[in-house]
Amino acid sequence: MTTQSADILDRGNCDVEGQWGRDNAKLGAAKFHVTHLGLRADCGVIDGTQIGLVGERIKFQNEKADGLSLVGKTRLWDDDKVGGKLALTYGIHGLRQRNLDFDYAASSVGLAYTQTLAEKHKLHANANVTIAKGGDSTKGWALGYEYAVAPTVSLLAETYGEEDSKPTQALGVRWAPAKNWSVGAMVARPRLDNGINGRVTQFNTTVAYRF
């Protein structure tokens, strides 16, 4: 999901995730698609803190751009009795276009909260601020829900957005085919701003391994 959980990897544990996605768009008479290919690795570096590196390649027709981010989460609160967790999230993001050098693009900081209900249900809530190069800031939010229909299968739903933009809704599924492995798929439908005629559908798949 785009919505982050407040879960933190234990010290010495790591999670590697590969991602492939495609955005199909129809805006007026124009039809086009954008593909995303990414790789993410997170590790618990000290008790209560994990650090990760995220790489992504975005392709649109004959153009491409590469993104590289250093991200992290630090536990602020964890209470097993109530099933709640709160974490501080943060990141530094770079971008490279047309085979130029990577350039600083933005920084982000936020909060992620996770609430477990009756073991099978999990709720996630995010609030964050992204500060772009030049100083402009944008507030964002996200709400996510997980329902474990079986020990190895969870259904996913989420909505997320930024200030002055309409939210995106998404549905998906996560499956654990073997110990430490998980496979996920999401379909999202962003709502276009007023005055824009068309539609966008996003598909995203992931494969993750924890060790």
Side-chain angles (χ1 to χ4, degrees):
M1 293 192 295
T2 296
T3 309
Q4 295 191 65
S5 77
D7 296 323
I8 305 293
L9 291 169
D10 292 334
R11 181 179 180 180
N13 288 357
C14 295
D15 189 286
V16 177
E17 180 181 82
Q19 177 258 342
W20 178 88
R22 176 178 169 124
D23 302 345
N24 294 326
K26 180 181 180 182
L27 303 178
K31 292 183 179 181
F32 59 90
H33 70 269
V34 180
T35 58
H36 308 258
L37 186 65
L39 183 65
R40 174 172 182 150
D42 296 274
C43 289
V45 292
I46 60 175
D47 291 339
T49 294
Q50 70 178 58
I51 298 297
L53 191 64
V54 185
E56 184 180 27
R57 168 155 289 186
I58 303 169
K59 292 184 178 180
F60 170 64
Q61 295 179 349
N62 295 324
E63 299 293 331
K64 64 181 180 180
D66 296 317
L68 186 64
S69 299
L70 180 65
V71 298
K73 287 193 290 186
T74 297
R75 182 184 300 117
L76 299 178
W77 176 71
D78 187 348
D79 191 330
D80 291 335
K81 292 182 179 179
V82 299
K85 299 179 181 181
L86 180 67
L88 176 70
T89 63
Y90 39 88
I92 299 175
H93 315 284
L95 184 66
R96 179 177 67 180
Q97 294 178 303
R98 297 179 180 274
N99 297 320
L100 300 176
D101 292 334
F102 273 99
D103 190 17
Y104 169 77
S107 298
S108 59
V109 63
L111 294 172
Y113 180 79
T114 294
Q115 180 68 51
T116 301
L117 303 170
E119 296 183 357
K120 291 186 177 182
H121 305 269
K122 278 189 177 182
L123 298 175
H124 308 287
N126 297 174
N128 61 73
V129 176
T130 300
I131 303 173
K133 181 180 180 179
D136 293 336
S137 63
T138 303
K139 299 180 180 67
W141 59 271
L143 296 173
Y145 169 66
E146 299 182 43
Y147 173 56
V149 295
T152 60
V153 179
S154 294
L155 301 181
L156 314 173
E158 66 177 342
T159 180
Y160 51 90
E162 297 178 342
E163 59 180 324
D164 301 326
S165 296
K166 293 183 178 180
T168 295
Q169 284 80 40
L171 295 173
V173 63
R174 183 188 299 122
W175 173 46
K179 184 179 179 181
N180 298 331
W181 286 92
S182 67
V183 179
M186 297 288 292
V187 179
R189 177 60 65 87
R191 294 174 59 194
L192 301 179
D193 294 335
N194 294 333
I196 300 178
N197 182 29
R199 68 176 184 272
V200 178
T201 303
Q202 300 173 331
F203 302 92
N204 190 56
T205 59
T206 59
V207 177
Y209 178 68
R210 181 167 293 185
F211 57 96

